[in-house]
Amino acid sequence: MPVYNTFTDNELIAFIKEGHETAFAELYRRYKGCLYLHAYRMLQDKDEAMDIVQEFFATIWAKRDTLIITTTVNSYLYSAIRNRILNFIAHQKVVAGYTNSLEDYLEAGSPASDEKFLEKELISLIENEVALLPPKMRQCLS
């Protein structure tokens, strides 16, 4: 069994493509800390930074068969993390926009069309039930 901490990053990638879990663990050990710090500097959120790094490494392992790195491994890893962070930030902006839009709608206080529909339905049900009553009972309700 090879000692993976003696191999270069490119050699580790070659082993990872062949399915060597220990080579993957070595790559993770080498880069998890600096990639986390890079993500944390951009996000200022420890949990999100860690999640992005973890998900990225999970993706590398899942797609190891088709992994193509045309730059240095170091550059590839940093660029991939940066792109994931930018996607995360863009997604957060979309979520915030929807949330703000919903809050504005709710604050406007306009009656919901569902309420009007339910009111009409309830009136119709009451009228139908009253129509089923015997004539003397209907007279009492009038």
Side-chain angles (χ1 to χ4, degrees), residues 49-67:
M50 184 55 73
D51 286 348
I52 285 175
V53 172
Q54 294 287 338
E55 289 171 8
F56 170 66
F57 275 105
T59 301
I60 285 179
W61 182 253
K63 296 183 177 183
R64 66 187 176 276
D65 298 335
T66 59
L67 187 64

Side-chain angles (χ1 to χ4, degrees), residues 36-49 85:
Y36 166 77
L37 289 174
H38 180 60
Y40 178 73
R41 272 188 239 120
M42 292 181 76
L43 293 171
Q44 297 299 309
D45 184 318
K46 292 178 182 180
D47 293 331
E48 290 299 338
I85 290 168

Side-chain angles (χ1 to χ4, degrees), residues 4-102:
Y4 289 102
N5 62 359
T6 62
F7 290 111
T8 67
D9 291 344
N10 289 332
E11 291 171 325
L12 286 177
I13 294 297
F15 283 121
I16 290 169
K17 286 182 178 184
E18 294 173 4
H20 293 238
E21 291 178 18
T22 312
F24 175 75
E26 175 61 24
L27 184 73
Y28 178 77
R29 187 196 61 74
R30 284 184 193 179
Y31 285 100
K32 72 175 177 182
C34 53
L35 292 176
Y36 166 77
L37 289 174
H38 180 60
Y40 178 73
R41 272 188 239 120
M42 292 181 76
L43 293 171
Q44 297 299 309
D45 184 318
K46 292 178 182 180
D47 293 331
E48 290 299 338
M50 184 55 73
D51 286 348
I52 285 175
V53 172
Q54 294 287 338
E55 289 171 8
F56 170 66
F57 275 105
T59 301
I60 285 179
W61 182 253
K63 296 183 177 183
R64 66 187 176 276
D65 298 335
T66 59
L67 187 64
I68 298 172
I69 299 176
T70 57
T71 63
T72 65
V73 173
N74 190 14
S75 296
Y76 172 80
L77 296 175
Y78 276 96
S79 296
I81 290 292
R82 185 193 70 238
N83 290 339
R84 284 178 175 261
I85 290 168
L86 293 175
N87 288 341
F88 173 78
I89 291 170
H91 178 72
Q92 291 302 101
K93 287 182 180 179
V94 169
V95 169
Y98 281 121
T99 302
N100 291 339
S101 174
L102 181 61

Side-chain angles (χ1 to χ4, degrees), residues 117-129:
F117 174 76
L118 291 173
E119 182 182 352
K120 287 179 182 178
E121 191 173 304
L122 181 59
I123 290 170
S124 175
L125 284 172
I126 291 171
E127 288 174 350
N128 287 341
E129 291 300 317

